[in-house]
Amino acid sequence: KVRAMGAGVELSGRRQDGSEFPIEISLSPLRTERGVYATASIRDTTARKKAQEKFRALLETAPDAMVIIDQAGLIRLVNAQTERLFGYQREALMGKPIEILIPERLRAQHTGHRQGYFHASKVRPMGVGLQLSGRRKDGTEFPVEISLSPLETEEGLWATAAVRDVSERKLVESKLAEYAENLERSNKDLEQFAFVASHDLRAPLRSLHGFSELLGKRYGAVLDATARDYLKSIQDSAAHMQSLINGLLNFSRVGRTDELFTTVDCNGVLQKVRAQLQSVIREREARISNDPLPSVKGSERELNQLFQNLVDNGLKFQPGPRPVVHISVEREGHFWKFRVRDEGIGIPPEQQEQIFKIFQRLHTAHEYEGTGIGLSVCRKIVHHHGGRIGVESQKGKGSTFYFTLPAG
């Protein structure tokens, strides 16, 4: 009968010059008048052997455990990483079901997954969104990631599984998740503290401000100049403290509510800001110009605070009358990039990051009034909307504050 000769045996041919080479032989019967002869079909398998050796070499140098199985789910080939990862000698794995490397509780369902893969085989990661586990020889389990690839062979379709131990990564992810949870809890506690503390400070501050005014009205005539200066210092300090508390309240409120983002017309927001700053605009003959502005998805209350703080900041740091602020915008991928430009005193490069930190001021309150909270509120609002904020400036040549907001 027709048969392949030397199955499982390494066969070699010998050339006239004495050199040897690997071969495969297929035998077929040939009946003649003189009897039955045999026809031998001899194939030089040198190229295939080299390819197989190269494949095995690549398999051995792979950083992951590599396991090759046939359609019956039997292990046909493994590399050294598989031995190290699972604790088996490779001889103990050859011909065994792949389920030997899987926890017992998962073996039944894995059989179905494996059979389904061979019906629609393609390169793919296995178990996306699932927690996959491997099982060592000693019974211990560990988290793994598996990538599957089909492998065409002379014996049919096989599958190559690249198995990676992700124990360390899972541990890091767990620690990061715990850290993020603790950080979020701490931030909420701090925000709640800031809100409550600021709210509770307002009542005694109102009393301080009110009684100092009453004292000035009733007894101002009998106070000497020094006493009146002391009284004015009390009133100024109370007013400054009120500004600090209001700023702290604004800072703590950003992102705290369950307010849903809506479509916000930035032209309408800027119109409201002009109305809110009307007294400053009239007093200083200020000019606030703008390009046509888009609508964005966000919190109208927070965006109003953002534009108000940046425009007010631009007016404040332009000494003298007729300050100018211009708001422009351009599309940048999936974001709108806004620019708020002034012609003020500018900011040295080494101080440009500092100004976004809470309570960080570059000037004293006597030079330019303020609390050192406004720009930190701006940064928090922009981050809450998924954007970024920064400044471009040179000392004495004005500043351009830019921020991005996702396009609606």
Side-chain angles (χ1 to χ4, degrees):
K1 61 180 179 180
V2 178
R3 66 177 180 181
M5 183 178 174
V9 179
E10 295 289 335
L11 300 179
S12 298
R14 184 177 184 277
R15 299 187 180 90
Q16 183 179 3
D17 61 7
S19 61
E20 296 183 3
F21 59 100
I23 60 172
E24 278 183 352
I25 302 176
S26 295
L27 298 178
S28 304
L30 178 62
R31 299 184 184 279
T32 69
E33 294 178 353
R34 299 183 181 182
V36 180
Y37 288 74
T39 301
S41 175
I42 304 173
R43 177 180 299 171
D44 184 352
T45 60
T46 302
R48 193 179 74 193
K49 292 289 184 182
K50 287 182 178 179
Q52 289 175 345
E53 290 171 3
K54 186 176 181 181
F55 176 73
R56 284 190 171 89
L58 288 172
L59 210 64
E60 290 301 322
T61 57
D64 298 324
M66 305 297 294
V67 183
I68 297 177
I69 63 171
D70 59 22
Q71 290 199 45
L74 302 180
I75 298 173
R76 304 299 294 265
L77 193 63
V78 299
N79 66 351
Q81 282 285 20
T82 305
E83 294 181 284
R84 284 191 285 270
L85 185 58
F86 289 94
Y88 288 94
Q89 295 295 318
R90 69 181 69 196
E91 292 78 12
L93 293 174
M94 294 299 101
K96 297 293 192 302
I98 184 62
E99 282 74 25
I100 193 176
L101 303 179
I102 296 171
E104 292 183 13
R105 68 181 189 283
L106 303 176
R107 289 177 183 177
Q109 67 187 62
H110 181 268
T111 302
H113 293 324
R114 169 172 53 77
Q115 291 170 347
Y117 176 77
F118 278 108
H119 281 96
S121 58
K122 61 179 180 180
V123 177
R124 66 181 181 188
M126 181 179 176
V128 176
L130 300 177
Q131 296 290 336
L132 301 180
S133 297
R135 182 181 185 275
R136 298 186 180 91
K137 183 180 179 181
D138 62 10
T140 57
E141 298 182 13
F142 58 100
V144 296
E145 277 185 352
I146 301 176
S147 296
L148 298 175
S149 304
L151 179 64
E152 295 284 351
T153 74
E154 293 182 350
E155 299 180 48
L157 182 64
W158 292 359
T160 302
V163 185
R164 177 171 297 177
D165 182 355
V166 293
S167 300
E168 289 187 10
R169 195 182 75 195
K170 291 292 183 182
L171 182 61
V172 171
E173 288 175 353
S174 176
K175 288 182 178 179
L176 286 175
E178 182 181 357
Y179 175 78
E181 183 179 348
N182 291 336
L183 183 61
E184 183 179 2
R185 188 184 304 113
S186 176
N187 284 339
K188 286 182 178 179
D189 290 344
L190 286 172
E191 288 172 356
Q192 183 65 20
F193 170 78
F195 180 80
V196 172
S198 300
H199 187 273
D200 290 348
L201 282 172
R202 298 177 95 174
L205 189 61
R206 280 194 295 267
S207 296
L208 177 64
H209 187 72
F211 280 114
S212 64
E213 282 191 339
L214 186 62
L215 184 65
K217 288 178 181 178
R218 289 194 177 182
Y219 303 102
V222 299
L223 296 176
D224 60 19
T226 301
R228 286 195 294 271
D229 286 342
Y230 291 161
L231 188 58
K232 186 176 185 308
S233 295
I234 293 173
Q235 292 172 336
D236 289 345
S237 296
H240 183 66
M241 178 64 76
Q242 183 66 56
S243 296
L244 280 171
I245 290 173
N246 290 338
L248 193 57
L249 276 171
N250 289 332
F251 185 83
S252 66
R253 283 172 179 158
V254 176
R256 286 188 71 249
T257 66
D258 295 328
E259 177 183 5
L260 295 176
F261 282 8
T262 59
T263 300
V264 180
D265 179 10
C266 292
N267 294 293
V269 169
L270 187 58
Q271 187 176 351
K272 290 180 182 178
V273 168
R274 283 193 176 96
Q276 291 159 349
L277 298 177
Q278 190 59 41
S279 61
V280 177
I281 293 172
R282 286 179 179 175
E283 180 182 342
R284 301 190 59 199
E285 301 179 36
R287 181 164 60 89
I288 302 171
S289 59
N290 65 281
D291 295 348
L293 303 180
S295 295
V296 298
K297 284 284 187 182
S299 162
E300 183 171 358
R301 176 182 58 80
E302 290 185 3
L303 293 179
N304 182 281
Q305 185 74 62
L306 172 64
F307 277 94
Q308 182 181 343
N309 285 4
L310 290 176
V311 171
D312 185 47
N313 191 77
L315 296 177
K316 179 177 20 176
F317 290 100
Q318 292 184 70
R322 292 181 289 280
V324 174
V325 172
H326 180 73
I327 299 98
S328 60
V329 66
E330 61 182 343
R331 189 65 178 257
E332 193 176 79
H334 298 294
F335 291 82
W336 288 108
K337 186 172 185 178
F338 295 81
R339 295 178 181 273
V340 181
R341 178 173 54 82
D342 64 56
E343 298 176 0
I345 60 175
I347 306 165
E350 66 273 12
Q351 297 177 327
Q352 290 175 9
E353 180 60 27
Q354 178 183 346
I355 59 175
F356 292 102
K357 298 177 181 178
I358 192 167
F359 298 128
Q360 295 295 311
R361 292 176 51 86
L362 304 185
H363 308 277
T364 66
H366 296 292
E367 294 174 302
Y368 296 96
E369 63 180 27
T371 60
I373 300 177
L375 289 177
S376 61
V377 171
C378 290
R379 181 169 67 174
K380 194 173 181 183
I381 290 172
V382 171
H383 288 178
H384 182 219
H385 284 72
R388 58 189 177 86
I389 188 170
V391 63
E392 298 165 349
S393 181
Q394 291 183 18
K395 190 172 182 180
K397 296 185 178 181
S399 301
T400 298
F401 285 86
Y402 64 85
F403 61 91
T404 61
L405 297 173

